[in-house]
Amino acid sequence: MADIFDDYQPAAAWDEMFERAGVPRAAYGPVLAALQPLDPAELRFRADQLARVFTDRGVTFDYAGEERPFPLDLIPRVLDALEWPTLERGVRQRVLALESFLADVYGPGEIFKDGLVPWRLISTSAHFHREVSGLTPPNGVRAHISGIDLIRDEDGRFRVLEDNVRTPSGVSYVMENRLAMTRTFPGLFAEQHVHPVDEYPARLLAALRASAPRDVADPVVAVLTPGVGNAAYFEHTLLARLMGVELVEGRDLICAGNRVYIQTTQGRRPVHVIYRRIDDAYLDPLHFNGGSVIGCPGIVNAARAGNLTIANAVGNGVADDKLIYTYVPEMIRYYLGEEPVLDNVESYRLEDPDVISWVLDRLDRLVLKPVDGAGGKGIVIGPHADAATLEALRETVVRDPRGWLAQRPVSLSTVPTLTDRGPAPRHVDLRPFAVNDGEDVWVLPGGLTRVALPEGELVVNSSQGGGSKDTWVLAADRSSAQAPEDPPIPLPRTFADVTVPQGGPGHGSTIEGAQQQ
């Protein structure tokens, strides 16, 4: 009997589902068995069901000025029970090293004194803020939430592509994807041992409360959003509602006596922890952009006085700098005394004259990316670029070598993705999310798989037209897949019960951070 994968041909990359044409990998066996009996009409019906679920729940995004349901592909990405622990360990290790680095940057600076990282990289970073030097968070955590972007290379090895410790977004899609898939394939979830993802809000709330000023017994937590016009407003709303905390804008806050209050109809209410989704530049007009109307004047002073915790901490962007990324393996050895579990993609810093000369001779064979870029913007994939683009790139790089990083092109792995002509290989990446409560770094099982929808496209960002897949981490046994163990903070509401505003400009969520190649 013919099935939908009869004509599927893997691309010239690592295929996550098939070892070779017609031979599936073991982890995908049950998924394949569930999909094969479906005819194209049934597949399309279920795909439309997924889109309707997203539309009904307001899970849309802004692409080219148009508000659309965020594309969720019908075919999940599966990680087996043996593979995930290594990824989890590698992400945790990286987050701990970055935490130590950030404490060093805004503290004693030992890594600079020992010559492992040049201080000039920090002093020339647009995201380094002297305003917060010497400011130590109550429980020492600066990166409460991290998103570590991974890719699988041509040999099937996971590698780190970049680190996101400012305001990594996209976790709302992880939870919405799972909800939509469980409604579309209820029988498949009943048979599979898949780790749940609905523990995230409880973990996040616990980490935020744990970071509160030391003299506060029952801290008040709030999510600070730029407002309804922000592309990630959907996520801000969802997380606030799932945690049962206030969603506030800058105009809802007031600072007095180095303390921050939420202005309510019953008067001022003190707030002790703010999970901000506003960039540093707009957070506090007293210290940064004086024209900002979306921040709160005095919020940094309140943090410095020890009366408020800002999550993630101001100034974390120095660790997102793509030049700093190249030093993370050495940071792991320096701070943790361990060998990196996950390798970087081969990268080349351009400040060495010999290296820049070598790179300029190979622009058509390398990937060049701006060190402080995001959302896939500004990346030039040499093998796909025309002569004019490469010449313009050459001039830009020569003028500002500090602003660029070169990498070996990597053909991201592919996962079968439903197209108008049936399943076809499409490139993917993976963003696991980690939450640090000061005692442990917890990694959400799976994370967000982003998929580039056009054939051969290597940029997977939603802002570039990408979509996503539900990411399944298979459990070794059924007990660990059924429910999380004792969530640290009971949630006032369940995920399925929460709805968010839909429609209207800016309600969509664009995943921040760059995805290269």
Side-chain angles (χ1 to χ4, degrees):
M1 175 181 171
D3 70 60
I4 60 171
F5 290 100
D6 279 350
D7 296 328
Y8 180 81
Q9 290 297 322
W14 180 273
D15 193 283
E16 302 269 348
M17 181 181 278
F18 291 97
E19 293 182 19
R20 57 184 183 277
V23 181
R25 301 184 192 279
Y28 278 88
V31 172
L32 200 60
L35 293 173
Q36 282 176 318
L38 302 180
D39 61 34
E42 174 70 9
L43 274 176
R44 180 49 54 195
F45 173 76
R46 298 206 183 205
D48 291 342
Q49 268 191 322
L50 279 181
R52 275 197 298 275
V53 170
F54 268 32
T55 301
D56 291 345
R57 292 182 61 80
V59 189
T60 58
F61 76 113
D62 182 274
Y63 176 60
E66 182 180 346
E67 200 74 11
R68 303 178 179 179
F70 185 64
L72 168 61
D73 187 63
L74 197 64
I75 304 172
R77 193 245 193 97
V78 181
L79 299 170
D80 69 33
L82 297 177
E83 191 168 46
W84 176 248
T86 301
L87 293 181
E88 185 180 41
R89 189 159 54 92
V91 169
R92 180 183 292 114
Q93 180 190 60
R94 199 150 177 120
V95 170
L96 290 173
L98 289 168
E99 282 280 12
S100 297
F101 175 68
L102 287 167
D104 218 358
V105 168
Y106 293 105
E110 298 294 344
I111 198 169
F112 310 112
K113 297 173 186 172
D114 290 337
L116 263 73
V117 176
W119 172 250
R120 59 182 163 74
L121 282 188
I122 304 302
S123 62
T124 57
S125 171
H127 304 293
F128 172 63
H129 298 307
R130 295 185 186 277
E131 295 87 342
V132 292
S133 288
L135 197 167
T136 302
N139 67 344
V141 176
R142 285 178 167 79
H144 307 79
I145 306 102
S146 305
I148 307 298
D149 290 349
L150 308 176
I151 59 169
R152 199 198 289 269
D153 67 14
E154 301 86 346
D155 298 322
R157 296 176 57 202
F158 275 101
R159 292 175 179 269
V160 179
L161 195 57
E162 66 180 60
D163 307 291
N164 300 279
V165 292
R166 278 181 282 174
T167 55
S169 65
V171 74
S172 58
Y173 293 137
V174 177
M175 294 183 288
E176 289 289 347
N177 287 355
R178 181 59 52 83
L179 181 66
M181 289 291 285
T182 53
R183 290 178 175 179
T184 306
F185 290 107
L188 191 53
F189 275 93
E191 298 167 1
Q192 291 294 293
H193 301 177
V194 181
H195 277 288
V197 298
D198 54 2
E199 190 179 357
Y200 182 85
R203 290 281 187 175
L204 176 59
L205 181 58
L208 295 174
R209 289 171 60 90
S211 72
R214 294 185 179 87
D215 59 347
V216 179
D218 186 17
V220 174
V221 177
V223 175
L224 175 60
T225 175
V228 69
N230 184 267
Y233 185 72
F234 166 80
E235 179 157 301
H236 308 164
T237 306
L238 182 71
L239 290 177
R241 292 192 181 189
L242 285 172
M243 290 192 290
V245 304
E246 295 281 353
L247 178 70
V248 298
E249 298 182 22
R251 61 189 177 185
D252 300 320
L253 301 176
I254 187 168
C255 290
N258 284 336
R259 296 182 183 276
V260 180
Y261 301 88
I262 302 173
Q263 301 189 89
T264 73
T265 53
Q266 286 77 43
R268 295 177 179 177
R269 184 187 182 201
V271 59
H272 308 102
V273 181
I274 289 182
Y275 176 26
R276 55 74 177 255
R277 299 298 296 260
I278 295 178
D279 290 343
D280 288 352
Y282 304 99
L283 184 63
D284 186 342
L286 290 185
H287 289 280
F288 306 114
N289 186 337
S292 173
V293 295
I294 59 174
C296 175
I299 196 171
V300 170
N301 290 346
R304 182 173 289 282
N307 298 321
L308 177 77
T309 300
I310 301 172
N312 281 345
V314 175
N316 277 11
V318 292
D320 279 9
D321 187 310
K322 293 178 179 57
L323 286 183
I324 294 300
Y325 153 90
T326 65
Y327 290 94
V328 174
E330 285 304 314
M331 290 179 198
I332 292 171
R333 298 183 183 99
Y334 179 75
Y335 291 119
L336 308 182
E338 301 172 0
E339 283 301 306
V341 175
L342 299 170
D343 292 331
N344 282 6
V345 173
E346 294 92 333
S347 304
Y348 309 95
R349 297 187 287 265
L350 304 184
E351 292 186 301
D352 184 315
D354 291 336
V355 174
I356 193 171
S357 176
W358 184 87
V359 167
L360 289 174
D361 288 341
R362 293 165 178 77
L363 288 180
D364 60 341
R365 284 167 277 174
L366 295 170
V367 173
L368 273 289
K369 60 181 73 168
V371 297
D372 60 353
K377 296 176 181 174
I379 295 172
V380 178
I381 301 176
H384 296 179
D386 58 32
T389 300
L390 292 176
E391 185 55 34
L393 174 65
R394 176 184 301 277
E395 294 175 5
T396 305
V397 170
V398 169
R399 191 166 55 246
D400 180 26
R402 167 66 176 85
W404 293 86
L405 176 73
Q407 288 185 326
R408 175 181 75 84
V410 177
S411 185
L412 282 60
S413 63
T414 60
V415 178
T417 301
L418 190 61
T419 72
D420 291 340
R421 293 173 292 174
R426 293 292 184 265
H427 295 288
V428 297
D429 79 342
L430 177 65
R431 174 178 287 183
F433 292 90
V435 177
N436 187 359
D437 65 6
E439 298 291 332
D440 185 29
V441 175
W442 174 78
V443 184
L444 176 68
L448 180 66
T449 290
R450 300 183 291 190
V451 56
L453 298 178
E455 183 177 2
E457 176 61 62
L458 292 170
V459 178
V460 301
N461 298 72
S462 62
S463 56
Q464 305 296 315
S468 73
K469 287 175 171 286
D470 193 15
T471 308
W472 295 6
V473 174
L474 301 184
D477 58 78
R478 179 173 289 274
S479 61
S480 59
Q482 290 303 302
E485 293 181 2
D486 301 328
I489 300 293
L491 289 177
R493 307 186 70 182
T494 63
F495 175 50
D497 290 337
V498 172
T499 57
V500 294
Q502 59 178 297
H507 277 197
S509 178
T510 297
I511 303 169
E512 299 145 1
Q515 177 54 44
Q516 298 82 3
Q517 305 170 29

